[in-house]
């Protein structure tokens, strides 16, 4: 049974999210998820979700998200080590953050996407959808899961 989590924790108890339980991804907000304040998001991608590895990550977010990302402060960690990135592109019109890796992550590897210097949006719940471009010969885009991020403050 899940316990109730606060904004700086993991997803906690989610009853009616519209997302299948196995597709809800864990996250951590380092500075408490206070509305309109600066924060660091740690978005976890478990190894079981990266069945085909990844050469890119795509994070899409809802229209009502009015926060800000710092593309110079994005990193991907594998085994607690930061991996080199080719480019981080924020498409504000399409509401997608694209993270292009210099070298693909192997299948069955867990990853942490760290978004530092994020300006939190207003109070609310935000669904961040994670897709990855497969690392194999055919660069297909795969759904990995959804982070259901709560910005609640204290």
């Amino acid at each position: 049974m899940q316990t109730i989590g606060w904004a700086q924790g993991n997803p906690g108890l989610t009853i009616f999210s519209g997302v299948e339980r196995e597709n809800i991804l864990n996250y951590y907000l380092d500075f408490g998820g206070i509305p309109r304040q600066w924060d660091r998001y740690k978005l976890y991608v478990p190894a079981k979700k990266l069945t085909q590895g990844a050469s890119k990550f795509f994070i899409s977010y809802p229209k009502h998200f009015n926060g800000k990302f710092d593309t110079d402060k994005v990193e991907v960690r594998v085994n607690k080590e930061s991996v080199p990135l080719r480019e981080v592109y924020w498409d504000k019109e399409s509401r997608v953050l694209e993270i292009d890796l210099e070298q693909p992550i192997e299948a069955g590897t867990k990853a942490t996407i760290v978004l530092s210097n994020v300006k939190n949006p207003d109070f609310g719940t935000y669904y961040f959808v994670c897709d990855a471009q497969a690392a194999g010969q055919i660069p297909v885009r795969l759904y990995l899961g959804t982070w259901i991020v709560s910005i609640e403050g204290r």
Side-chain angles (χ1 to χ4, degrees), residues 91-106:
D91 184 344
K92 295 175 188 173
E93 186 174 310
S94 297
R95 298 180 316 279
V96 175
L97 190 64
E98 182 179 326
I99 305 164
D100 189 3
L101 308 171
E102 273 191 22
Q103 296 293 319
I105 295 173
E106 292 182 23

Side-chain angles (χ1 to χ4, degrees), residues 58-118:
F58 303 89
I59 301 171
S60 57
Y61 55 91
K63 194 172 198 172
H64 67 281
F65 178 85
N66 62 345
K68 293 187 172 123
F69 301 109
D70 184 343
T71 57
D72 293 329
K73 298 292 184 180
V74 173
E75 68 179 305
V76 175
R77 296 178 186 165
V78 173
N79 298 321
K80 299 182 182 180
E81 296 290 325
S82 187
V83 299
L85 304 179
R86 180 173 291 129
E87 179 183 24
V88 177
Y89 176 69
W90 181 16
D91 184 344
K92 295 175 188 173
E93 186 174 310
S94 297
R95 298 180 316 279
V96 175
L97 190 64
E98 182 179 326
I99 305 164
D100 189 3
L101 308 171
E102 273 191 22
Q103 296 293 319
I105 295 173
E106 292 182 23
T109 303
K110 71 178 182 176
T112 303
I113 300 170
V114 181
L115 308 177
S116 296
N117 208 27
V118 175

Side-chain angles (χ1 to χ4, degrees), residues 28-44:
Y28 188 81
L29 304 182
D30 277 351
F31 304 115
I34 300 168
R36 296 173 299 286
Q37 298 297 313
W38 297 102
D39 217 324
R40 179 182 305 119
Y41 294 19
K42 293 180 180 171
L43 308 172
Y44 303 112

